[in-house]
Amino acid sequence: MRRAVLFPGALLALASSVIHAATFRVGSDGAPACTHSTLQAAIAAALADPGPDTIIAPRSGSYTQQALVINTDQVLTITGGYSNCITDFGDGEYTNIDGGGGSAQSTFRITGGASSVINLRFLRIRNGDPSIFDGNGGNINYDGAGVLEIGDAAI
């Protein structure tokens, strides 16, 4: 009869090599499920967290005067379509991300590294401003070697 022998060191090495996916939820309504009060703060936390991350931007949040900056070589998904931070399932309605009235910049400025995959889903991105210097931008200004996927969105 053969017996499996587990070595504690091997288990520790295996456990430390597992990369977890984190989910960040944006909201300022005081719900305990909200992890960040602004979308840019959630982006910063996701970029500091190794591995694939998801940011949920529920419709209950106010996303006006946005000039969001993403510079990553990771997998990052920003998704709307949730009514609030507590909801675990999206309903497919767009979350509005509005760049108007802000700092005359794109609503999203994204720089993706070679292995980056950035997903924008269930978002209505509007009123971004192109650069006054070179005309680049508008709602989304993407520069990079990675992948930008936009699905179920309105721009």
Side-chain angles (χ1 to χ4, degrees), residues 5-97:
V5 178
L6 298 177
F7 296 98
L11 289 176
L12 183 59
L14 180 62
S16 65
S17 68
V18 174
I19 297 175
H20 75 284
T23 299
F24 303 94
R25 295 172 182 262
V26 181
S28 57
D29 56 6
C34 298
T35 60
H36 295 83
S37 60
T38 69
L39 193 49
Q40 189 65 61
I43 290 169
L47 298 181
D49 184 62
D53 297 306
T54 298
I55 297 171
I56 294 174
R59 288 186 311 282
S60 61
S62 175
Y63 311 104
T64 59
Q65 298 183 354
Q66 299 295 297
L68 303 165
V69 178
I70 301 169
N71 187 346
T72 189
D73 202 20
Q74 320 184 126
V75 176
L76 176 64
T77 299
I78 301 176
T79 185
Y82 290 75
S83 60
N84 56 51
C85 286
I86 300 168
T87 306
D88 285 330
F89 301 99
D91 57 19
E93 290 187 39
Y94 294 152
T95 297
N96 292 315
I97 310 292

